[in-house]
């Protein structure tokens, strides 16, 4: 592939075409709006009814007829989905080397970064189509994926041809109940069942469209969910289950903790700590350029005391009061804390081998709280891809012209998602977005 100058991307104003999207809800399915009979065996959304034993998300709808297309747009690169990964892919494709140069954006708070990048690439000539939802990929026989057909807000169907590649960056499938249950069963099959809240990180539409043209899914077992608790549930010096015993190294990442929680009697976990812990917690700054953005001990204490007032935390001089409040056996809890304090004095956790630097004696007055049910932020598995982000078939052949990045792509996580690496998922989205942009621009 020859290197392209920026001119190739902005020629004709089509540039690195990116199908952006402000929201999926409220958009009527294209086939329904068109009023045309897509297929005799198709349902209202054009999808065939699955037979017994068939996995519904794998059933391809009847192909959209050429006559239904109202507009055809030709670009070098088409990126479906402009979230965390797609925006970086578009930036790197059109800017070519954004991370070694100054984009001229100045300091942009994390929360505004994607918006700033979108504005930047639009200025560079990217053709961004908001509220366009991809419906089907166009694959020529067993050959190249050459285009994607998307529906705009009115349901009008448009074909976006990507001469260099089509990139699926449409996020996760967690809003598709059947896919969730099949690929990420920890979220649905656990002691708290449907109490696990789901964030909307995608309906799997881009993934399904790739499967319909021959793509396959990551196939190394269940996909790990990204599990978290609310911010009030992140403090823990000592953690016990309903028997009053410790059961884990309290420094384990949140997703690991969630898996452990599901395995405790009744899913119960009670955290204990004290005032001194406000100074013992490692300070985490939220701004690389300004360490003072870390919460200060007095701020933490004020927050904890406010949560006591709200009844979310409790504060007590006696462990017996905590045991009574959370229905724990008082004698076992007292022994657990005594043993833990012994580990602190010895500098060695004889049971769970917690990092000695984080063994802090637990003395009265105590704070305590019961951990809620965790939420699942996303499912960390997707399409089977190779190191070049090409979507692979069942026989491990790359589908020419088709790429997947971000949560739509699999083969990055197995068994567990580690929250111990800050920005683990976003970092991957940025990195593979950057790489695919460069690759399609002929720079890699
Ligand atoms: C509350 C919360 C907190 C998080 N915190 C962290 C964190 O601290 N660190 C971390 O690393 N990760 C975190 N994550 C995860 C992180 O947000 C995701 O890993 C990341 O956003 C995934 O990027 P993506 O590009 O794959 O998908 P997304 O960012 O979800 O982008 C996908 C885009 O595609 C669009 N789209 C979907 N389907 C179509 C279609 N058919 N046609 C056109 N467009 C479509 C969507 O509307 C969306 O804009 C968090 C997630 C949540 C929910």
């Amino acid at each position: 592939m020859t290197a392209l100058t920026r001119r190739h991307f902005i020629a004709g104003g089509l540039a690195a075409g990116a199908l952006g999207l402000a929201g999926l809800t409220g958009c009527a399915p294209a086939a329904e709006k068109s009023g045309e009979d897509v297929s005799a065996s198709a349902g209202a959304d054009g999808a065939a009814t699955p037979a017994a034993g068939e996995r519904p998300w794998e059933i391809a709808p009847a192909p959209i007829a050429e006559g239904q297309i109202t507009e055809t747009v030709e670009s070098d690169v088409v990126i479906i989905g402009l979230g965390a990964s797609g925006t970086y892919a578009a930036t790197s494709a059109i800017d070519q080397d954004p991370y070694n140069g100054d984009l001229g954006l100045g300091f942009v708070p994390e929360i505004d970064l994607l918006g700033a990048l979108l504005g930047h690439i639009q200025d560079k000539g990217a053709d961004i189509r908001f509220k366009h939802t991809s419906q089907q990929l166009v694959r020529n026989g067993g050959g190249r994926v050459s285009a994607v057909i998307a529906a705009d807000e009115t349901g009008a169907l448009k074909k976006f041809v990507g001469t260099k590649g089509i990139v699926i960056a449409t996020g996760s499938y967690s809003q598709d109940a059947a896919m969730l249950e099949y690929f990420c069963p920890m979220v649905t099959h656990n002691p708290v069942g449907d109490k696990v809240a789901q964030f909307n990180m995608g309906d799997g539409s881009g993934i399904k469209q790739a499967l319909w043209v021959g793509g396959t899914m990551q196939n190394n077992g269940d996909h790990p969910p990204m599990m978290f608790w609310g911010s009030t549930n992140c403090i823990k010096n000592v953690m016990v289950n309903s028997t009053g015993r410790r059961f884990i190294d309290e420094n384990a990442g949140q997703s690991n903790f969630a898996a452990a929680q599901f395995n405790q009697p009744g899913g119960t976990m009670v955290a204990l700590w004290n005032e001194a812990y406000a100074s013992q917690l490692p300070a985490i700054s939220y701004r690389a350029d300004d360490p003072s953005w870390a919460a200060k001990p007095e701020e933490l204490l004020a927050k904890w005391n406010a949560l006591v007032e709200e009844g979310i935390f409790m504060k007590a001089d006696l462990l017996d009061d905590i045991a009574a409040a959370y229905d724990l056996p008082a004698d076992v809890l007292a022994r657990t804390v005594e043993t833990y304090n012994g580990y602190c004095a010895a500098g060695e956790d004889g049971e769970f081998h917690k990092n000695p630097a984080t063994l802090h004696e637990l003395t009265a007055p105590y704070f305590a709280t019961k951990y809620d049910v965790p939420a699942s932020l996303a499912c960390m598995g997707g399409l089977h891809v190779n190191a070049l982000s090409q979507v692979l078939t069942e026989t491990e052949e790359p589908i020419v012209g088709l790429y997947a990045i971000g949560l739509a792509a699999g083969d990055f996580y197995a068994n567990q998602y580690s929250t111990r690496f800050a920005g683990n998922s976003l970092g991957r989205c940025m990195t593979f977005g950057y790489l695919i942009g460069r690759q399609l621009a002929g720079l890699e």
Side-chain angles (χ1 to χ4, degrees), residues 7-32:
R7 185 179 298 277
H8 288 90
F9 280 96
I10 58 174
L14 297 174
L19 304 183
L21 186 88
L24 290 167
T25 50
C27 279
E32 210 175 54

Side-chain angles (χ1 to χ4, degrees), residues 91 95 97-99 101-106 117 120:
T91 308
D95 231 311
D97 204 2
Y99 306 106
D102 183 357
L103 295 183
L105 301 176
L117 288 177
H120 174 74

